[in-house]
Amino acid sequence: SSENIINFSKKFSAYNIEHIINMLLFIIINFQKSNLLRNNTSFFDDNDNTLKGYNSKKLNLIYDKLISIKKNIGIIQNNETILFSICILLKKLAKAK
């Protein structure tokens, strides 16, 4: 929900935003690897992550957007805004077909 997104953004804005983005990129890469290998890796099987529901095209889009956000961290300079943007991206893609 929008309220959860706002709460998440506020709660984690004190963390190093680049580390959060790197963790998300790591997770996406591992899900993509599992998809490319056409078998589920132990990472995929042992991970109860909502990204499992995203297809390869959506994961690629998320990856590209995260890389773009990471490159512009110095320009935005507001962790809460960055996290809010990431959450909105994930929410929009979850609804898209």
Side-chain angles (χ1 to χ4, degrees):
S1 70
S2 296
E3 185 177 313
N4 287 341
I5 291 173
I6 292 168
N7 290 337
F8 174 85
S9 300
K10 286 181 182 178
K11 181 177 180 179
F12 289 98
S13 65
Y15 289 82
N16 183 319
I17 193 68
E18 194 165 350
H19 289 309
I20 293 172
I21 292 172
N22 286 338
M23 285 188 289
L24 289 170
L25 291 170
F26 174 78
I27 292 168
I28 291 168
I29 288 168
N30 277 287
F31 280 130
Q32 289 291 54
K33 178 182 169 186
S34 179
N35 189 33
L36 288 172
L37 295 175
R38 298 276 187 233
N39 63 353
N40 293 341
T41 62
S42 60
F43 177 86
F44 185 89
D45 291 336
D46 296 341
N47 197 320
D48 191 27
N49 193 303
T50 57
L51 289 178
K52 279 184 175 182
Y54 290 83
N55 63 30
S56 187
K57 183 178 177 182
K58 287 182 182 180
L59 288 175
N60 286 338
L61 180 61
I62 293 169
Y63 182 88
D64 291 343
K65 295 290 184 185
L66 288 174
I67 292 293
S68 178
I69 290 169
K70 186 175 174 181
K71 287 179 182 177
N72 293 304
I73 285 175
I75 296 169
I76 301 169
Q77 295 183 343
N78 184 323
N79 289 354
E80 193 173 325
T81 301
I82 294 169
L83 289 171
F84 186 81
S85 299
I86 292 169
C87 290
I88 294 297
L89 170 68
L90 294 172
K91 183 177 179 181
K92 282 184 179 180
L93 289 176
K95 291 180 179 180
K97 294 188 184 219

